[in-house]
Each structure stands twice: as structure tokens, then as C-alpha cells.
Amino acid sequence: MKHTGRISLVGVGPGPFSLLTGQAIETILNSNVVFMDGYTSVYLQSENDDFFKWAEEKNIQIKIASRPLLEQPENWMKEYRNQQICVIVLGDPMLSTTHSSLVLLAEEFGYFVNIIHGLGVNTLIGSIGLQSTKFGRIVSIVYPYRDIILTSPLEHLAFNYWQGLHTLVLLDLDPTGEGVDKPIPMTPLIARDSLIKMNQKLTLNDIDSP
């Protein structure tokens, strides 16, 4: 299919405007439509936030993208055909399967896709004394959903520990599981309680096993 426009996934790093690359800034400025991912990551905006101040000064209208908008983008891809679209992602844009799927669908719609990488968490771990080569599988801890308790996060954590590996733990942002409401980042305390419940479930399973 002939290209009908451009969709750029722009990584903005960990947040401070000073860490944006020149290519990221140029792409945002030259886009007709600017989304910011509000599902897989959260940009903790404050009144003194330099990124949003810059966007306001440049008259850039940023639309916060919920889960349906990112995972079911067919409508806006049709609406904005032939335009320059930017999807801003905290960190690096290609660490999430949501964004990989978005790229594939954009290409099916005939868009030219441009990826602008930003500083991701994997790039920053060296600054706290950890070695990137000693990380095991990434573990996501999610809020309990409809009383369903997944035990796999605890199992992966235990396996990494057994192997002597570090673990990057990602904490959930949405208690509803729908990705529509305003994000509520999981606190370390809630994550701890979730791991305790996982351990209790695993223990009960062992007791019930013949």
C-alpha cells in the first residue's frame, strides 16, 4: 500500500526535557497530531514541568492516549491519513508489545513509520551500579483483577534469584485492567502485598497437591 502519512514513535527518556534528543524535539514540532502514551507509562506532570511548558509555548496540543486508542487505533489512523502523527512514549518506545503492534498496524494502513529512541530504564541501570548483563527476565506485577491472583511474577522472581540475576520489576498502573481511567501507579507496598498473596496461593496449591 502506498504511504499515506507518517507515524513517529518518539521516546522522551525518563522525563526531563533536557534529556530529549534533537530529533525527538524536531519530530514533535513538525507533527500535525501529537499523542502521549498514558497506558503503558505515566508522565508525572507537575505545574513546573519543563516539557509541558515547552509544549504550551510552542502551541503543541498533546492528547493523552488510553489503552483503546493505542490498541485499537484504526479509527484515528483513518481520520489522520496523510498527516504527520507523533506518539510520545516515556523512556524508549520499543520496549512494549503495545507499541510493536501499533507499528505493524500503521504499516498495514500504509503509513511510513519512524522510530526515535529515547533513554530507557535499561540504559540507566548502570548509574546505580548494576550490570546489564546480569539481568534475568523482566517481571510485571499487576493489580488483582476480578479476584484473579497470578503467581507467575513470584515464580519468575524466584527463578532469577536462584540464578543469581537481577530483576527489573514493572509495577502496574491500572487497578481496573481496562486502561481507560486515570493511571494509579502501584506503590511498592501494594506490590509487596501482591507478592505475599501469590506466595499464599502457591503454598495452598502445594498443600492441596496429592
Side-chain angles (χ1 to χ4, degrees):
M1 185 184 297
K2 185 178 179 181
H3 290 153
T4 58
R6 179 191 297 265
I7 292 181
S8 298
L9 271 66
V10 179
V12 296
F17 180 78
S18 59
L19 296 181
L20 266 69
T21 64
Q23 188 180 16
I25 294 173
E26 182 181 358
T27 301
I28 295 171
L29 285 173
N30 292 330
S31 295
N32 306 113
V33 181
V34 180
F35 294 111
M36 173 170 279
D37 180 0
Y39 166 56
T40 69
S41 57
V42 176
Y43 195 106
L44 299 177
Q45 180 181 359
S46 67
E47 293 181 359
N48 298 317
D49 190 280
D50 51 1
F51 176 81
F52 281 88
K53 278 186 174 181
W54 170 79
E56 185 176 356
E57 290 173 358
K58 299 297 182 180
N59 198 30
I60 299 171
Q61 304 297 317
I62 298 178
K63 304 177 181 181
I64 303 300
S66 62
R67 179 179 185 178
L69 191 144
L70 292 172
E71 295 189 347
Q72 301 168 13
E74 293 86 352
N75 287 339
W76 62 260
M77 284 187 180
K78 293 176 183 177
E79 180 181 354
Y80 300 129
R81 193 181 297 273
N82 295 319
Q83 298 193 52
Q84 305 292 310
I85 304 168
C86 171
V87 179
I88 297 172
V89 181
L90 195 64
D92 187 86
M94 296 311 295
L95 294 180
S96 169
T97 54
T98 294
H99 305 133
S100 299
S101 299
L102 185 65
V103 167
L104 294 175
L105 191 57
E107 291 175 343
E108 288 183 16
F109 269 77
Y111 281 95
F112 177 81
V113 177
N114 186 30
I115 307 297
I116 300 174
H117 296 283
L119 287 173
V121 65
N122 290 340
T123 310
L124 302 172
I125 55 177
S127 63
I128 58 174
L130 301 180
Q131 298 176 357
S132 60
T133 55
K134 289 199 65 177
F135 272 79
R137 177 171 178 163
I138 296 175
V139 174
S140 296
I141 300 179
V142 300
Y143 284 104
Y145 182 63
R146 293 181 179 175
D147 297 324
I148 298 173
I149 299 176
L150 300 176
T151 59
S152 55
L154 181 58
E155 295 172 45
H156 296 320
L157 275 168
F159 182 80
N160 286 348
Y161 180 78
W162 177 61
Q163 293 284 320
L165 301 173
H166 306 310
T167 305
L168 174 61
V169 179
L170 307 179
L171 303 183
D172 200 0
L173 299 171
D174 181 18
T176 70
E178 301 296 327
V180 176
D181 296 335
K182 183 178 179 180
I184 304 176
M186 176 183 284
T187 65
L189 182 61
I190 295 175
R192 185 204 65 180
D193 291 342
S194 296
L195 290 172
I196 291 174
K197 291 178 181 178
M198 294 177 204
N199 185 57
Q200 291 171 341
K201 182 176 180 180
L202 286 172
T203 302
L204 289 173
N205 289 343
D206 289 339
I207 294 175
D208 294 338
S209 298

